[in-house]
Amino acid sequence: MSLQIASTESRSLLLGAREAIPLLGGYIPVAISFGLIAIQSGFSGWEAVLISTLVYAGASQFLFVAMVASGAPLWFVVLMTLLINARHVVYGPNIAPWLNKNRWWPWLMHGLTDQIFALALVRLPQLEARERMGWYIGASIVAWFSWIGGTALGAVAGKELTQRWPLLGEIMPFALPALFLVLLAPRFASRLWAITLGSTAIVALLFAVSGMKNAGIPIAAVCGALVYYGLSSLVRNKVQRSRGARDG
Amino acid sequence: MDSELWIALLATAIGTFLMRALPLLWMQRHLVRKQAGNSLDAMPSWLTVLGPLMIAAMFGVSLVPSKVSTQAWLATAIGTLVTYLVWKRTNSLGWPVFVGVVVYGGVILLANVAA
């Protein structure tokens, strides 16, 4: 019996690890850039790795290093980095219905990045309850270690790597939009969701083009919610009107 | 790093962790309080809508190429289309991403050779 449980756990751990592999295309090049920038900003290699291990939040790490290097007050550095990460507050509640009672879950939330959230929101409901923790650990460990390893690589040899293979850092990050698209694709079957998701993505894209990537994510999501509820109420009114006309 | 910088780093790390963990604890308690047979029914409806919207927003943001150029936008459009078509055919997670990246990279390389 216990052997069977162990085999289920290791199988789901491996499944999670395998399904997180597409994330590496996005994580490693960005982590290499972070390691390189941290070194150029006066941090040591170990310090860069420690930041990636403990904070583990892409954009805010870049901001942390840049603000410290520019001599900004430290309380302001902390405030701004936390502000960038504020969007993470909606991730945990969204996956909560699929998490079993286990005291380790809150600690595992350290690995709940944007991309792991996107993956977990789609995959956790499809898995059996006993497989979910193993899957989540497998996926988040691959992502976390790739981020830490990429930072170390960037700190040690980032300059040489970006000079030798300049196109690699340009091509590999396409894995992220490709993965997000695949995660959203099943919802395109519904016209309501297709319009909502399309308009959300366009608003976010426009914000990103204007250089406001981090603000763009929550604002675009709120715009998307307005589209969703607006369209839903329009459809409801239309149905009620046609029923009224039929009954009258 | 001096001690003040260490404190700033730890405050950022702990703050980020708490922003990820505390809302989960809040929702787990909310679900227990509601004691619904189906946990999804006990979720506020806006929250179930917000999840896919956050993914769509991340998708939109990540579409912007690291080096913006006409070729990069063309590669993004073709790569996105191919990713979707491969998903329609395979209904899997890994293959569409793999083929999408290969096609995106191929278009970028071709554009560089042509230029």
Side-chain angles (χ1 to χ4, degrees), chain A residues 22-41:
Chain A
L23 296 180
L24 304 191
Y27 273 40
I28 294 175
V30 181
I32 289 174
S33 311
F34 173 73
L36 178 62
I37 287 170
I39 294 289
Q40 287 170 345
S41 305

Side-chain angles (χ1 to χ4, degrees), chain B residues 6-105:
Chain B
W6 274 108
I7 293 169
L9 171 61
L10 287 177
T12 306
I14 293 168
T16 303
F17 170 70
L18 291 178
M19 278 196 287
R20 288 168 175 164
L22 287 181
L24 172 78
L25 287 170
W26 166 77
M27 180 50 78
Q28 281 180 325
R29 280 188 195 153
H30 173 78
L31 293 175
V32 168
R33 265 204 310 273
K34 289 264 178 178
Q35 286 186 329
N38 181 355
S39 302
L40 267 180
D41 292 341
M43 288 263 288
S45 73
W46 60 268
L47 204 54
T48 53
V49 172
L50 203 57
L53 295 180
M54 292 296 276
I55 304 178
M58 287 187 260
F59 168 63
V61 163
S62 61
L63 276 178
V64 180
S66 51
K67 278 186 189 163
V68 176
S69 64
T70 314
Q71 293 95 322
W73 280 116
L74 181 71
T76 303
I78 296 173
T80 304
L81 184 68
V82 169
T83 304
Y84 183 69
L85 291 176
V86 176
W87 173 80
K88 283 278 263 186
R89 198 170 173 79
T90 63
N91 229 334
S92 67
L93 198 72
W95 280 111
V97 176
F98 175 74
V99 177
V101 172
V102 169
V103 169
Y104 177 85

Side-chain angles (χ1 to χ4, degrees), chain A residues 152-227:
Chain A
L153 197 61
V156 175
K159 208 171 178 182
E160 290 76 15
L161 284 172
T162 48
Q163 276 170 355
R164 188 171 291 186
W165 293 296
L167 278 179
L168 212 59
E170 207 178 318
I171 293 168
M172 294 308 285
F174 187 74
L176 288 186
L179 179 67
F180 290 139
L181 179 66
V182 172
L183 294 174
L184 291 170
R187 287 188 186 262
F188 293 155
S190 145
R191 195 179 290 175
L192 171 65
W193 271 109
I195 296 171
T196 305
L197 297 173
S199 52
T200 307
I202 290 169
V203 172
L205 178 72
L206 293 175
F207 269 92
V209 169
S210 328
M212 291 184 279
K213 276 191 173 185
N214 284 296
I217 294 174
I219 293 172
V222 170
C223 291
L226 292 176
V227 171

Side-chain angles (χ1 to χ4, degrees), chain A residues 32-80:
Chain A
I32 289 174
S33 311
F34 173 73
L36 178 62
I37 287 170
I39 294 289
Q40 287 170 345
S41 305
F43 288 83
S44 71
W46 281 113
E47 286 164 354
V49 167
L50 207 64
I51 294 171
S52 278
T53 309
L54 296 177
V55 179
Y56 188 36
S60 69
Q61 289 183 211
F62 281 94
L63 187 73
F64 182 89
V65 163
M67 286 183 81
V68 168
S70 70
L74 290 178
W75 66 267
F76 192 54
V77 174
V78 175
L79 186 72
M80 290 308 290

